[in-house]
Amino acid sequence: MDRRTLLRSAGSAAVAGSLGALGAAALATPAHAASATINTDQVMATTNRVTHAPNQRGTIGIELRSGHYNGYQYGWGRLVGSGWDLRGWIWLDISRDGGRTWSFADGTYLSDGTGYAHTSGWLTQSDPNYVFRASYDSNFRAVNPYLQSGIW
C-alpha cells in the first residue's frame, strides 16, 4: 500500500483528513491520536511491512521500510547484509520540500547493545514533498555517507 494514504484505526474521516493536511502535529481524539514517532521496539511490532528505495554497496544494503503501528503508517531506515561496522551508525533524514533540504530525524548506533540495525519510525504523511532517506557510515551524520538509500 502506498504511504500517501494514511491508514487509521476506527476514527472518523475528518481525523484522517486532518492528519494528512496538518502532519504529525495534528491532534485527533485521544483514543485515536497518532504518535509522531515509534521506538525501535515498536518498529519490530509493525505489520504490513514494505521495502522502499534500497541501495547496495558490496555486501552492505540500506533501505527504507514502512509498516503500520496502531493503524498508522511509519517509515524507518534499515541496514541489511553483512560487513557493516558495528561501531557505525544508521540515521534517518526527513525532507519537507521534496528532497531539496534535509533535517535529521533519528540515528541508531549499531553497537548500542539492542541488536537493532534500524532507526526509530516516523509517521508518514500524504504530502508528496514529505520524503525520507536513510544513511550509513562509521562517522555519525557524515556529509558524504558510505551508503545512502534512495528517496521515498
Side-chain angles (χ1 to χ4, degrees), residues 84-116:
W84 32 277
D85 186 351
L86 288 177
R87 295 165 298 183
W89 292 84
I90 181 171
W91 65 92
L92 183 70
D93 292 318
I94 297 175
S95 173
R96 288 173 170 72
D97 60 12
R100 288 189 304 277
T101 60
W102 294 94
S103 297
F104 171 76
D106 183 66
T108 299
Y109 182 53
L110 300 173
S111 288
D112 67 358
T114 63
Y116 292 138

Side-chain angles (χ1 to χ4, degrees), residues 50-92:
V50 178
T51 299
H52 310 276
N55 195 7
Q56 187 91 19
R57 185 171 181 181
T59 60
I60 304 170
I62 194 166
E63 57 194 22
L64 293 167
R65 299 274 288 165
S66 68
H68 294 85
Y69 186 81
N70 286 340
Y72 293 94
Q73 188 181 46
Y74 292 85
W76 61 91
R78 178 174 83 158
L79 276 176
V80 295
S82 63
W84 32 277
D85 186 351
L86 288 177
R87 295 165 298 183
W89 292 84
I90 181 171
W91 65 92
L92 183 70

